[in-house]
Amino acid sequence: MPAENNKNSISQNRAAFYDANSDTRKPRIVVGTAQELVQYRQDSGTRIWYNDIPNSFTAHWHRALEIIVPVENWYDVHLSGEVYRVNPGEIFLIPPGELHSLTAPEEGSRFVFLFDLSSFSRINGFSGIQSILANPLHITRSEYPGIYDDVYQILVQMRNEYFSKNEFAELTIYSLLASMFVKIGTNHLNSINMFPNMRVYKQKEYMDKFTSVMDYIDAHYMDELNLDDIASSIGFSKYHFSRLFKQYTGYTFCAYITYRRVKIAEELLEQPEYSITEVALQSGFPSISTFNRVFKQTKNCTPSEYREKNNRYTRRQ
């Protein structure tokens, strides 16, 4: 088991694990009632913690992608009304922006990976990965036999780069992260079998069409996006497209548009030069009232409260 193979090296390197994060004395900063502002390592968008404390964490959310890999003993993730027990050697991905809480055993250890994904947003094809990352992923050998070993080893390589503090560690970690996303995305497409009984070349053609749709949504989220028009543009009926889109993304078409617009709004709200009205319009919401209502339903706070929480922390820095 990977966890067993790494225990000795982990035991020998505990001092290095703590030293690599010595640039911060406050591992967690939670503003308001639920939002955690992740302290990435200086001049980077990553933070990897070696965590062997028995502390549990109440419900919170953050914009970072969080990956938990227990080494010794279990770790529980409470998310969307479900409790996921993550055992040693297993991998759990918590979607950015999702409210979750964590329960630790009295004794145990795990690695916690946190990544800022904003640099990926401009890469063609990443929109399809985002739809996969919008749901929790519990990667075990039995459930993901085709990619488990590769994903685990990628995380080990990331960890080694981070804690060795190599000159190009940040670049290497993000290249590894991109590789992991490709493996997860490819596995997802292979598993959902959207186009059964179809020749391979035709399947690829249709998947390319769906990828182009996702990229189009990312580029035109400010516009009025019509289901009929988008379905017609790739040669599907509205009903066939809706079924396949839900299979591909896990969202209905309308729900996914809302999800993307809220994500864009989060980024814009952290830029003080934009008014709340400007954020609403540039995120693609038709009115400020719709924006306020949808944002509060999704994030459990108003856009103004979200901005104030971020600004309050920034002023303290």
Side-chain angles (χ1 to χ4, degrees):
M1 185 116 179
E4 294 294 332
N5 295 337
N6 281 281
K7 280 183 182 178
N8 290 336
S9 63
I10 288 171
S11 178
Q12 295 167 4
N13 287 287
R14 277 193 171 91
F17 294 155
Y18 295 127
D19 178 66
N21 288 316
S22 60
D23 60 320
T24 179
R25 295 183 179 180
K26 294 182 178 179
R28 301 185 74 242
I29 296 176
V30 179
V31 295
T33 58
Q35 185 188 3
E36 178 180 357
L37 300 176
V38 175
Q39 291 185 290
Y40 298 109
R41 192 152 71 175
Q42 187 174 11
D43 300 322
S44 84
T46 63
R47 178 71 73 179
I48 303 176
W49 297 102
Y50 173 69
N51 179 334
D52 60 358
I53 60 175
N55 293 3
S56 298
F57 299 99
T58 56
H60 64 284
W61 63 273
H62 40 66
R63 285 184 53 203
L65 169 69
E66 182 170 2
I67 303 177
I68 296 172
V69 185
V71 177
E72 297 177 286
N73 219 337
W74 52 266
Y75 205 55
D76 281 352
V77 180
H78 306 254
L79 192 154
S80 301
E82 300 284 340
V83 180
Y84 301 88
R85 172 145 297 186
V86 191
N87 292 304
E90 297 178 351
I91 302 159
F92 195 88
L93 281 70
I94 300 174
E98 287 297 314
L99 193 69
H100 61 281
S101 59
L102 304 168
T103 302
E106 292 185 3
E107 293 183 355
S109 62
R110 72 287 314 173
F111 285 97
V112 179
F113 300 70
L114 295 157
F115 300 106
D116 176 5
L117 300 184
S118 58
S119 60
F120 283 90
S121 62
R122 294 177 293 277
I123 300 176
N124 287 340
F126 184 65
S127 52
I129 301 297
Q130 281 185 305
S131 66
I132 299 171
L133 297 179
N135 300 289
L137 283 177
H138 190 177
I139 299 178
T140 65
R141 188 185 297 278
S142 60
E143 292 295 323
Y144 291 83
I147 63 169
Y148 169 80
D149 286 332
D150 288 342
V151 171
Y152 190 94
Q153 289 306 316
I154 285 172
L155 291 169
V156 170
Q157 290 178 64
M158 288 182 187
R159 186 189 78 199
N160 291 343
E161 287 291 328
Y162 184 91
F163 290 110
S164 64
K165 296 189 283 189
N166 293 329
E167 183 177 357
F168 298 109
E170 179 83 357
L171 184 61
T172 302
I173 288 170
Y174 270 103
S175 68
L176 289 166
L177 186 61
S179 177
M180 186 181 79
F181 288 157
V182 170
K183 291 183 182 297
I184 290 173
T186 302
N187 181 79
H188 173 72
L189 295 180
N190 290 338
S191 66
I192 60 178
N193 194 22
M194 288 175 64
F195 308 107
N197 306 317
M198 185 178 289
R199 292 179 183 274
V200 173
Y201 78 90
K202 201 66 176 176
Q203 289 184 21
K204 185 179 186 309
E205 176 188 331
Y206 280 9
M207 290 311 306
D208 288 344
K209 287 183 177 182
F210 264 83
T211 299
S212 70
V213 165
M214 303 303 288
D215 288 339
Y216 182 85
I217 291 172
D218 259 16
H220 296 272
Y221 57 84
M222 289 177 61
D223 303 334
E224 183 177 347
L225 296 170
N226 184 278
L227 172 59
D228 288 355
D229 292 343
I230 290 180
S232 178
S233 72
I234 61 170
F236 288 108
S237 71
K238 175 176 69 174
Y239 304 103
H240 192 201
F241 175 82
S242 296
R243 180 180 64 80
L244 292 174
F245 189 90
K246 177 68 182 295
Q247 194 175 353
Y248 183 77
T249 66
Y251 287 85
T252 65
F253 179 76
C254 290
Y256 182 76
I257 300 302
T258 298
Y259 161 77
R260 290 298 298 128
R261 287 172 174 167
V262 168
K263 290 297 180 187
I264 296 298
E266 290 177 27
E267 296 176 15
L268 294 176
L269 285 168
E270 295 180 9
Q271 303 178 41
E273 62 268 27
Y274 294 113
S275 68
I276 299 297
T277 300
E278 288 173 323
V279 170
L281 296 177
Q282 293 201 34
S283 303
F285 289 94
S287 67
I288 186 68
S289 59
T290 300
F291 175 50
N292 284 332
R293 174 175 54 79
V294 171
F295 195 92
K296 186 166 186 177
Q297 286 175 346
T298 306
K299 307 307 301 180
N300 203 32
C301 64
T302 67
S304 297
E305 290 169 342
Y306 180 94
R307 167 169 280 175
E308 177 57 28
K309 291 171 185 176
N310 280 279
N311 289 347
R312 192 181 307 135
Y313 169 68
T314 302
R315 288 195 295 266
R316 289 203 302 265
Q317 290 296 95

